[in-house]
Amino acid sequence: MSQSLPRSSHMLRRCSVVALSMLCALPALAARDGADPVTAVNTFIGTQDEGNTFPGASAPFGLIQVSPITEHYAGYRYTDPKIRGFGHSFISGAGCWEQGGQVAVLPVTGTIGPGGTFDTDNKKAEPFDYKKYASAFTHHGEIGQAGYYKVRLTAASNTNDDDVDAEATALTRAGAERYTFAANQDTGHVLVNVGQANEKHEVVGSVINVVGDRVVEGKLVTKSFCGGRQYTTWFRLEFDRPFKAFGTWDKDGAAPGSRHSMGAQWEVPNGAWLSFDLGKSRSVTAISAISHVDAEGARRNLDAEGKRNGRLLGFDAMRAQAQAQWRKELGLVRISGGNADDRSVFYTALYHALLQPLTGSDVDGRYRGYDEQIHVANGWTYYEYFSLWDTYRSQNQWLAILQPQRARDIANSVLKIHEQMGWLPRWGYANFDTNIMTGDPVTPFLVDLWRFGALEGREQQAWDALWQNASGRPPAMSRAQGRAGNDSYLANGYVPYDRAYPSKGMDVDQHHGGSATFEYALGDCALSQMAGALGETAAAATLQERGRTWRKVWDADVADAELGLRGFPRPRMEDGNFYTPTHGAYSPRSNHGFHEGTAWQYQWLTQQDVPGLLAAVGGQDNAVKRLDAFFAYDELVKDLQGGARKHWVVGPYSYYNQYRYNPNNEPDLHSPWMYTLVGQPWKTATVLRAAQALFTNAPNGVTGNDDLGTMSAWYLFSAIGMYPAVPGTGQLLLHAPRFERVELDLGNGRSLTIEAPGADGRQLQYVDGVSVDGIPREQVWLDWAQLRQGGTIAFRLTGTPPATGWGTGAASLPVAPCALPR
């Protein structure tokens, strides 16, 4: 469906038509008719309903991304009517503002000059505000594949005389965009806006320089994630043809012929325009590069990846190279079974899981460290942007399995942060810690990397950093926040709930003392296993005991009266008493003391101590009763494809006043496997089938924020039949796969094959038996130490819940690593 909007004298002629496609009637967004995983990827998945992904081009773990900017803070929202430009830095799926979009480039037609479409006599630079010159676009013909994006910027008339086709592609450190103008256009313009980025992403200051007749370069200083600390991005654009005219704009208006402009205040207008004779090709191609080190870094990145034999790489050549790189990465996983939509959902999830963390070192190995000094990564790649509270639950383990060398570099990058900052990070953005989120995510993150083999040779260094983090607290002047609640936690076994406690960022553990206690306990239990393996016997015993501290914030008297259940987590105050709200009684459905969740959801963050949880709730039967209520289990069985949307939490930010499973957020991601850990694995299968129905081949096909690949990696694990539910163990819990056959390349010529004849993701199916390399296995898990050598896992599926069959006996269950010794 399309709409027409009134024409604005401040806009280009082609910007007065808005094309909106309804989500219920989407066109085919990605090629689905071949075996090529590159064209199976649909980069529009997650671009609506706060999935916060971006549709443009990026390499795997790329430093640069080239993608359209609409009016949404994450960069692009599918139903937005206009494109403001094509930015050059994005993160995928994060749930906060300040997410990139730096260097917003847009091709335009019309005239630039006194009284023109872009009136250079305007003394306030109003025509150069991207909200005013933004272009309408059409979803018809819009393409979003791995490594390639295309869209038509549309004209007001039906003649298409002012339409421009915009294309983007990207390698690791250089990108390309090609703008093809209509045949009747002799002159085309390109606007390079450095004073504006993504909506809400504040540009603190910027500099732009026009160099010769083919180059624009400069830098931007922007605020970071959630409005935090400032950081600098240097950029360089080189064009494949000379521009015949140029100029700059700033707060005082336009300056034809100017080669330099600087914006020194918040959101000051700043940029340059370039005018080109189009010639017969009708197109203008720009090769771009950025750096977080310096201007020379951007130049070297462009020379190394954007040129061949000293000449700019053609757009088609770069696209071919980019998509070949994606074909190699996506080809590490091969699936059989399902339909075309299933393939698109799976390979798009794999694509999203391989976007972050971002490459942080320039082509010469230099990177900007957490001490603000320039360091060099010799023979390895430094990575940055670590959303640890999210990724430790799924994406981290996925990369460790599928990308072992990259996982080693990621682990080394985190240890380098510790060397430079003195403490481990929590949410690392560029070269500093934002201190976003709470708990202790870096501990399970690094311990799992150790367990999956990514810390070989650096175990002691990692242990020292983790033990410091677990047993101390950063000093007041440190940028790091670490375990801010450790003083009370180490002395009393819990983090107090104190909303008045000062923070070094947007979040601090004391503001969410209940959930922070659960997170600390989970991290301590994970670390205890590493300590024991390294011979740190005393520390291992201490940490194992601390893995049970969640019990300190469990109140056996708290009731959910509506459901007739008693005993729930409840935060404690500084004086040790349980928190009581000013108005009314404490409810386990409330927001008090728990970060982005409730006591109902955090009670399951006890996978390291399942026997303790069973004791707290009154035994296995009561635990299952709670899980059934939590998941609306009986309703899922009745409506497998629609039950999740009807009965679970469906709002992307609906964290509180809930007692149901929230598939949109991280705290309870592992909870479907709690059924497995209490001896009813067939119910895990039911819940996973229902949850998978939320992942669809449409812009709203991601549940909540994708959070730098976390939700996508969760889907991948759920689809292949195993999940790392208990940090630090290296155990993968087994469940019914969605596909009949999955092959994973593990590196060094090893592969893991997962077979499930008759698997059908739209039917309720349960595991009736499992064999590993032909040997039957009754246990519900496999150790990574065994799987890393490769082999074949064969599932036998059934449509009947095996209430007394596979995985239901006590001997089938793993030993909880931090349960009280019997």
Side-chain angles (χ1 to χ4, degrees):
M1 182 177 80
S2 63
Q3 289 179 276
S4 293
L5 293 182
R7 179 170 175 167
S8 167
S9 61
H10 296 293
M11 300 178 187
L12 303 181
R13 283 173 289 166
R14 71 171 187 282
C15 296
S16 58
V17 171
V18 177
L20 291 175
S21 295
M22 300 301 291
L23 294 180
C24 58
L26 291 173
L29 298 176
R32 306 182 181 97
D33 56 354
D36 187 357
V38 165
T39 55
V41 168
N42 174 4
T43 63
F44 299 102
I45 292 176
T47 60
Q48 187 65 30
D49 291 354
E50 303 302 310
N52 291 356
T53 61
F54 61 86
S58 174
F61 311 95
L63 171 60
I64 188 171
Q65 302 78 34
V66 185
S67 190
I69 303 169
T70 64
E71 62 189 55
H72 193 261
Y73 67 86
Y76 177 99
R77 180 168 49 200
Y78 191 80
T79 53
D80 282 347
K82 295 182 179 181
I83 289 175
R84 298 172 172 181
F86 293 85
H88 293 76
S89 178
F90 297 85
I91 53 178
S92 179
C96 208
W97 62 98
E98 313 291 359
Q99 294 188 38
Q102 293 95 324
V103 193
V105 177
L106 191 72
V108 299
T109 56
T111 57
I112 298 178
T117 313
F118 292 88
D119 185 359
T120 54
D121 284 346
N122 187 299
K123 298 305 181 183
K124 295 183 179 179
E126 290 175 337
F128 295 96
D129 180 346
Y130 70 6
K131 295 180 182 179
K132 296 186 177 182
Y133 66 66
S135 173
F137 68 103
T138 175
H139 290 305
H140 180 72
E142 190 178 24
I143 298 171
Q145 301 173 350
Y148 177 67
Y149 174 80
K150 182 179 181 179
V151 67
R152 173 158 291 186
L153 307 176
T154 57
S157 67
N158 293 322
T159 64
N160 300 324
D161 288 347
D162 293 328
D163 288 358
V164 180
D165 286 336
E167 301 169 271
T169 190
L171 300 175
T172 302
R173 297 179 178 87
E177 51 232 87
R178 179 167 62 191
Y179 303 121
T180 303
F181 294 79
N184 70 310
Q185 295 293 327
D186 296 322
T187 300
H189 313 289
V190 173
L191 307 181
V192 183
N193 188 335
V194 294
Q196 295 172 296
N198 282 358
E199 183 74 13
K200 297 186 179 181
H201 194 162
E202 294 181 88
V203 178
V204 179
S206 58
V207 176
I208 191 165
N209 297 302
V210 180
V211 182
D213 61 359
R214 290 177 183 254
V215 173
V216 174
E217 63 179 14
K219 65 179 181 179
L220 299 84
V221 179
T222 51
K223 295 186 74 174
S224 72
F225 194 59
C226 297
R229 186 175 167 184
Q230 301 171 11
Y231 70 106
T232 303
T233 302
W234 286 264
F235 71 91
R236 184 175 176 88
L237 297 168
E238 293 194 20
F239 293 88
D240 68 338
R241 63 177 61 219
F243 34 83
K244 66 177 182 179
F246 57 88
T248 64
W249 70 82
D250 60 17
K251 63 182 178 62
D252 297 318
S258 168
R259 290 186 174 273
H260 173 80
S261 182
M262 180 183 300
Q265 299 176 16
W266 301 96
E267 290 277 11
V268 165
N270 194 23
W273 74 83
L274 314 166
S275 301
F276 297 86
D277 280 327
L278 294 175
K280 294 182 179 179
S281 73
R282 324 306 306 162
S283 68
V284 175
T285 297
I287 305 297
S288 55
I290 65 172
S291 170
H292 292 149
V293 176
D294 56 21
E296 189 59 30
R299 295 172 190 141
R300 291 175 183 174
N301 288 340
L302 193 151
D303 287 345
E305 296 192 9
K307 295 181 179 180
R308 182 177 297 161
N309 299 322
R311 299 175 62 87
L312 288 180
L313 201 60
F315 182 90
D316 292 329
M318 183 179 286
R319 176 188 173 185
Q321 188 175 338
Q323 295 200 298
Q325 186 178 5
W326 271 115
R327 194 166 289 112
K328 178 181 177 182
E329 298 287 351
L330 296 171
L332 295 176
V333 185
R334 298 170 295 281
I335 58 174
S336 300
N339 59 27
D341 280 342
D342 292 325
R343 286 181 54 80
S344 281
V345 170
F346 184 90
Y347 280 109
T348 304
L350 180 56
Y351 167 84
H352 284 146
L354 300 179
L355 288 174
Q356 285 99 187
L358 306 184
T359 296
S361 49
D362 289 338
V363 70
D364 56 10
R366 295 183 307 148
Y367 66 91
R368 187 173 295 274
Y370 276 53
D371 55 1
E372 288 292 347
Q373 302 301 306
I374 305 304
H375 302 267
V376 179
N378 286 316
W380 62 286
T381 300
Y382 176 80
Y383 291 95
E384 55 190 16
Y385 294 86
F386 293 105
S387 179
L388 301 178
W389 189 81
D390 307 298
T391 59
Y392 90 77
R393 305 168 200 261
S394 60
Q395 193 248 10
N396 183 45
Q397 298 91 329
W398 182 265
L399 296 187
I401 291 171
L402 203 64
Q403 302 265 345
Q405 181 55 55
R406 208 178 303 268
R408 283 190 282 272
D409 286 354
I410 288 169
N412 196 28
S413 299
V414 175
L415 293 180
K416 291 298 181 183
I417 292 172
H418 179 264
E419 290 179 12
Q420 297 152 14
M421 187 170 63
W423 290 83
L424 291 167
R426 173 175 290 176
W427 210 121
Y429 189 103
N431 67 313
F432 51 88
D433 196 351
T434 66
N435 290 312
I436 299 300
M437 307 312 296
T438 53
D440 180 27
V442 72
T443 294
F445 181 89
L446 274 181
V447 172
D448 268 341
L449 286 178
W450 160 76
R451 181 64 83 176
F452 282 83
L455 280 170
E456 291 178 4
R458 294 192 293 270
E459 296 91 342
Q460 190 61 47
Q461 180 186 3
W463 161 253
D464 291 342
L466 287 164
W467 179 243
Q468 176 201 39
N469 180 69
S471 58
R473 181 168 56 85
M477 297 305 293
S478 171
R479 174 66 189 172
Q481 191 157 261
R483 286 190 177 190
N486 243 1
D487 290 352
S488 174
Y489 179 76
L490 297 178
N492 306 310
Y494 64 89
V495 179
Y497 178 36
D498 180 2
R499 293 294 296 173
Y501 195 88
S503 172
K504 296 181 182 180
M506 192 171 78
D507 299 309
V508 67
D509 294 338
Q510 286 86 339
H511 294 179
H512 310 277
S515 57
T517 302
F518 275 77
E519 299 265 18
Y520 285 16
L522 185 71
D524 280 338
C525 185
L527 188 55
S528 73
Q529 298 164 77
M530 183 179 183
L534 297 180
E536 301 285 350
T537 307
T542 297
L543 290 163
Q544 187 180 47
E545 182 178 357
R546 279 161 41 181
R548 298 186 288 272
T549 53
W550 64 269
R551 303 181 187 196
K552 295 274 189 159
V553 290
W554 188 278
D555 186 352
D557 294 325
V558 170
D560 189 309
E562 181 180 341
L563 296 177
L565 298 174
R566 186 173 295 276
F568 286 93
R570 183 177 181 181
R572 289 185 184 270
M573 305 290 284
E574 286 183 284
D575 61 8
N577 291 318
F578 283 118
Y579 167 75
T580 299
T582 303
H583 305 285
Y586 174 77
S587 168
R589 303 185 187 191
S590 75
N591 63 314
H592 296 294
F594 293 90
H595 199 177
E596 296 189 1
T598 67
W600 257 101
Q601 290 153 354
Y602 272 95
Q603 69 180 314
W604 309 116
L605 199 69
T606 49
Q607 61 265 50
Q608 79 279 14
D609 183 17
V610 172
L613 176 66
L614 295 182
V617 300
Q620 181 191 38
D621 290 345
N622 284 336
V624 171
K625 180 180 179 181
R626 284 188 185 223
L627 285 166
D628 288 349
F630 183 62
F631 287 109
Y633 185 83
D634 292 341
E635 300 302 320
L636 299 184
V637 173
K638 295 175 186 177
D639 184 6
L640 186 65
Q641 297 302 312
R645 290 197 187 275
K646 291 178 183 177
H647 301 287
W648 292 352
V649 180
V650 295
Y653 303 115
S654 299
Y655 303 134
Y656 302 122
N657 303 312
Q658 307 282 355
Y659 75 97
R660 286 276 167 78
Y661 177 54
N662 185 356
N664 307 299
N665 205 27
E666 280 72 19
D668 55 4
L669 279 188
H670 69 287
S671 58
W673 288 270
M674 294 301 284
Y675 274 126
T676 298
L677 292 176
V678 300
Q680 295 194 0
W682 72 90
K683 290 191 173 181
T684 294
T686 300
V687 171
L688 294 181
R689 281 286 198 266
Q692 289 165 1
L694 300 173
F695 292 82
T696 63
N697 190 21
N700 60 351
V702 170
T703 62
N705 307 145
D706 197 43
D707 285 323
L708 284 74
T710 297
M711 296 300 183
S712 288
W714 183 96
Y715 174 82
L716 294 170
F717 276 121
S718 80
I720 70 172
M722 56 185 187
Y723 186 78
V726 188
T729 63
Q731 295 169 348
L732 294 151
L733 298 181
L734 303 176
H735 59 268
R738 186 175 179 86
F739 296 96
E740 292 189 296
R741 183 181 176 89
V742 179
E743 296 175 86
L744 305 170
D745 287 346
L746 307 179
N748 297 323
R750 299 166 299 171
S751 64
L752 176 64
T753 301
I754 301 168
E755 298 175 343
D760 182 350
R762 287 162 179 77
Q763 301 294 324
L764 277 176
Q765 294 176 312
Y766 312 96
V767 178
D768 193 38
V770 176
S771 64
V772 180
D773 295 332
I775 301 173
R777 182 174 180 86
E778 294 300 319
Q779 289 78 18
V780 297
W781 83 95
L782 285 166
D783 289 314
W784 174 244
Q786 176 184 0
L787 289 180
R788 69 186 302 179
Q789 303 306 318
T792 299
I793 307 172
F795 288 85
R796 186 173 66 253
L797 302 182
T798 178
T800 303
T804 59
W806 180 85
T808 59
S812 300
L813 304 179
V815 175
C818 283
L820 279 169
R822 294 182 179 179

